Amino acid sequence: MARINSRLFGSLRKFTFVKKHIPLILLVIFLLGGVLWVAPGLKAKNAALKATRNVVLALDWEDVVVFDVDLQSSPASFIVLPSKGSLQAEKKIRDQGKFVLWRLGDDVVPDEWLPRFSDQDGLFIVGEHVLEHPRLIRELPALIKEKNGFVALVEFIPNKLLPFLVCLVPDRLIKGHLLSTREMMVPKPHLLEKRLIRSVEERGNHLLIIRFSPIWTRDENVGFIQQCFTQLRFKGFQLGPLQTFPVWSNKRVSLKAALVLSIIIPVLLLIWSVRSSFSIGITFLIVSSVTVLTGILIHGWGATPFSVLGIDSFRGVKLQLLIPLFAGGVYLINKKEWSQFLEASIKTKYVLWLVGGLGLLLIFYLMRSGNFPLVPVTDTERSFRDWLDAVLVVRPRFKEFLVGHPSFLLGLALIKKGNQRDGWARFFLWLGLLGQISILNTFTHFHSPLHLGLIRTFNGLWLGVSLALPGLILLHSRK
C-alpha cells in the first residue's frame, strides 16, 4: 500500500510539475516547430554566402590620376568614374583591361550617360533624386541585363527609390563597402583594416571601394590595400572576378511579426524566471536557450536575399530595445508599491533627479546602439573589440557579458535566497533583461551569417557567467 501511495504521489508531483510549466513547454514546441519551418531558408542563405567568396577591388579615377597608379599592374578590377567623367578617362580605363564602376549623382544626364554603359560595367547611386528621371528607371534594368552589368548596393548610402531598381534586376546585385576620402584623412591602418575585413566576413560585402589617403604616399596606400587582401585570403576569401549575389526563394514572413516576438519573449521569460523553481544555473540556461531559439526563428524569417543585401531592413530596433525594459520594470513593481509610490509625499527635486537619471541612462543606451552610434566608439574601445575578435573568433557584446548576464544571475541568486520582493533582486533582474534583448538584436542582423551570431552569443554567455561567479559565490557563502 505504501508503495502504491508513493507511486501515486510521484505521479501527482510529475503532473503538477508539467502543469506548472505548460506555457513554457508550449512556447518551446512553437519555437522548435518554427525553426524547422525556416530551416530550408537558412540553409539556402548559408549556401549563398559560401558560394560568394571572391572580393573585388575598386579604385577611384581621381586617386589613379593624382597618385599616378599603374592600372595594368593594379589589383583593382573596377575604376570608379562619375557619370560626367571624361571620354579620355573612360578610354584609358578600358584600354588597360579594367571595367568602369559608374558613380551616379543627381547631376547625371541620362541622354549622355546611358550610351556609355558597356559590357560588365557596374554602377552605384549616391544621388537621392537620380532614379526620379523616367528614362533611367525605364531603360536601366534592360540595359544592365543586356550588358551583363550589375548594381552595387553600397552600405550606409541610403536611397529611397533604390528598391524599385533592385526588384527589376534581382540577379544582378552585389553588396559593397566604401572607405571614403574623409575617413582616410587621418588614417588608422590597423582599425581600418579590421573594419574592411568585418565588412566582408560579417556583412557580406564583396566589392570594396577604397579611396587613397592624401597624407600617404602611393606605396603606403598600395601597401595598405595589399595588407587588407592578405588578411582576407587568410580568412578564406580571394581577389577574383566579380560574382553577383545568388538569389534564392524563401517563405516570406512579415518582419513586423519578428519585431513583436522580439519584444514579447524577454518579458515572458522574465516572468517565468521569477516564478521558476529550478536552480539558478538551470533557470538561466533555459531562459538563454529559449532566447536563442527565438533568435534563430527571427533570423530565419529574415533570411531573404533582399534582407541580406540590406534592402528589407528590420524596422523598430529602438522599440525592440526599449519596450521589454519598460514592460519588465512595470511587472517587477507590484500594485501595492505603485500605490505607495503615487501616494507618497516626495519632493519635486527627487522626482526630477530620478526621471532625469533614468532618462539619461536610456538615452545613452539608445545612442550606443546601431552602426553609427551618436556616442562614438573610441579608438581604445575599438582596439579592445578587435583584440576580442582575434582571441574569441567573434567578439561578444559588452552589454551582454559585462552587464546583462551577470546582473540576471545575481538577481536570480537573490530571489532564490527568499528575497523575491527585495529591491536589489528586482533591479538586477531588470538590468539582466539587457542581455536577452541584446541576444535577440544580434539575430536581427540578417546580413550576418547565422553561425557568427551563435558564436557571438555563446561567447557572451560563458564570459557573463564567469564574471558573475565571484558574486554568486559570495552570496552563497552568506546567510
Side-chain angles (χ1 to χ4, degrees), residues 262-457:
S262 67
I263 291 173
I264 292 176
I265 292 299
V267 182
L268 294 179
L269 291 175
L270 173 67
I271 296 171
W272 177 84
S273 62
V274 170
R275 302 174 181 179
S276 171
S277 57
F278 293 111
S279 65
I280 300 168
I282 297 298
T283 301
F284 181 71
L285 179 62
I286 291 174
V287 168
S288 300
S289 299
V290 172
T291 302
V292 171
L293 268 179
T294 306
I296 295 173
L297 175 58
I298 290 172
H299 195 85
W301 282 347
T304 65
F306 283 2
S307 297
V308 177
L309 290 168
I311 299 299
D312 288 343
S313 58
F314 182 77
R315 302 183 185 278
V317 173
K318 304 301 183 187
L319 296 177
Q320 189 251 330
L321 295 175
L322 276 183
I323 293 180
L325 284 175
F326 176 78
V330 170
Y331 166 75
L332 290 170
I333 301 176
N334 58 33
K335 293 182 180 179
K336 182 179 178 181
E337 290 168 330
W338 276 116
S339 178
Q340 290 175 344
F341 174 76
L342 293 174
E343 294 176 3
S345 36
I346 305 174
K347 291 184 178 180
T348 305
K349 66 177 181 179
Y350 295 135
V351 176
L352 292 176
W353 277 109
L354 177 63
V355 173
L358 288 175
L360 286 174
L361 285 174
L362 290 176
I363 290 172
F364 182 79
Y365 170 55
L366 292 177
M367 290 172 70
R368 285 283 294 179
S369 303
N371 291 310
F372 296 100
L374 295 178
V375 179
V377 178
T378 63
D379 290 345
T380 302
E381 183 181 346
R382 175 61 65 192
S383 297
F384 182 56
R385 290 182 175 190
D386 292 337
W387 179 80
L388 287 174
D389 269 324
V391 173
L392 301 176
V393 181
V394 182
R395 172 187 64 83
R397 288 182 155 187
F398 291 149
K399 66 185 75 169
E400 292 177 24
F401 77 91
L402 286 180
V403 181
H405 300 331
S407 298
F408 202 83
L409 286 164
L410 291 174
L412 289 175
L414 289 170
I415 282 182
K416 296 302 178 184
K417 291 178 75 67
N419 300 322
Q420 283 87 350
R421 306 315 303 171
D422 178 73
W424 282 110
R426 287 178 286 165
F427 173 74
F428 280 125
L429 277 178
W430 178 77
L431 201 59
L433 271 178
L434 287 174
Q436 306 304 315
I437 293 170
S438 178
I439 289 175
L440 290 176
N441 183 256
T442 293
F443 289 100
T444 61
H445 295 173
F446 304 124
H447 53 258
S448 182
L450 176 61
H451 73 275
L452 292 183
L454 291 172
I455 297 173
R456 189 186 306 279
T457 301

Side-chain angles (χ1 to χ4, degrees), residues 48-332:
L49 292 178
K50 286 185 175 180
T52 312
R53 305 300 291 179
N54 288 355
V55 181
V56 178
L57 172 65
L59 298 179
D60 196 279
W61 173 249
E62 293 179 357
D63 293 330
V64 171
V65 173
V66 171
F67 288 88
D68 193 24
V69 177
D70 182 9
L71 283 181
Q72 195 166 14
S73 62
S74 170
S77 301
F78 290 86
I79 304 300
V80 178
L81 194 65
S83 59
K84 286 190 173 182
S86 68
L87 293 172
Q88 293 81 1
E90 180 187 351
K91 183 177 185 304
K92 185 172 181 180
I93 292 169
R94 299 194 190 283
D95 288 345
Q96 297 299 320
K98 307 298 181 182
F99 302 102
V100 178
L101 178 61
W102 296 98
R103 183 175 64 237
L104 303 188
D106 290 330
D107 60 346
V108 62
V109 180
D111 294 341
E112 297 177 2
W113 174 73
L114 282 171
R116 298 177 65 180
F117 192 89
S118 299
D119 290 341
Q120 301 185 53
D121 278 1
L123 65 92
F124 70 102
I125 296 173
V126 295
E128 183 64 31
H129 305 286
V130 172
L131 294 176
E132 292 179 6
H133 196 291
R135 187 177 176 191
L136 276 181
I137 199 65
R138 284 174 61 87
E139 299 182 21
L140 199 51
L143 182 64
I144 291 171
K145 293 177 182 179
E146 177 189 346
K147 300 295 185 178
N148 197 28
F150 66 92
V151 178
L153 305 175
V154 181
E155 59 180 354
F156 312 130
I157 302 181
N159 188 293
K160 294 179 181 179
L161 295 179
L162 190 57
F164 291 97
L165 174 62
V166 166
C167 290
L168 297 174
V169 286
D171 58 338
R172 306 305 308 165
L173 306 173
I174 186 170
K175 197 173 179 184
H177 184 83
L178 169 65
L179 194 58
S180 65
T181 303
R182 182 186 305 172
E183 295 164 306
M184 296 294 282
M185 292 299 291
V186 185
K188 300 167 184 176
H190 178 71
L191 295 179
L192 292 175
E193 176 190 319
K194 295 294 183 183
R195 168 182 152 178
L196 290 174
I197 292 170
R198 277 195 304 272
S199 76
V200 175
E201 188 177 26
E202 297 184 15
R203 300 197 300 277
N205 295 295
H206 292 271
L207 171 66
L208 299 181
I209 306 171
I210 302 178
R211 295 300 307 265
F212 278 26
S213 171
I215 67 171
W216 279 349
T217 65
R218 180 184 60 185
D219 292 341
E220 287 174 326
N221 278 290
V222 172
F224 168 73
I225 293 173
Q226 290 175 342
Q227 177 61 23
C228 289
F229 278 91
T230 298
Q231 293 299 318
L232 284 171
R233 280 191 289 269
F234 179 75
K235 295 282 187 177
F237 297 93
Q238 59 186 1
L239 185 66
L242 181 140
Q243 294 176 303
T244 53
F245 193 77
V247 179
W248 68 91
S249 59
N250 192 21
K251 300 171 182 176
R252 186 178 177 82
V253 178
S254 172
L255 293 183
K256 292 180 180 178
L259 175 62
V260 172
L261 199 62
S262 67
I263 291 173
I264 292 176
I265 292 299
V267 182
L268 294 179
L269 291 175
L270 173 67
I271 296 171
W272 177 84
S273 62
V274 170
R275 302 174 181 179
S276 171
S277 57
F278 293 111
S279 65
I280 300 168
I282 297 298
T283 301
F284 181 71
L285 179 62
I286 291 174
V287 168
S288 300
S289 299
V290 172
T291 302
V292 171
L293 268 179
T294 306
I296 295 173
L297 175 58
I298 290 172
H299 195 85
W301 282 347
T304 65
F306 283 2
S307 297
V308 177
L309 290 168
I311 299 299
D312 288 343
S313 58
F314 182 77
R315 302 183 185 278
V317 173
K318 304 301 183 187
L319 296 177
Q320 189 251 330
L321 295 175
L322 276 183
I323 293 180
L325 284 175
F326 176 78
V330 170
Y331 166 75
L332 290 170

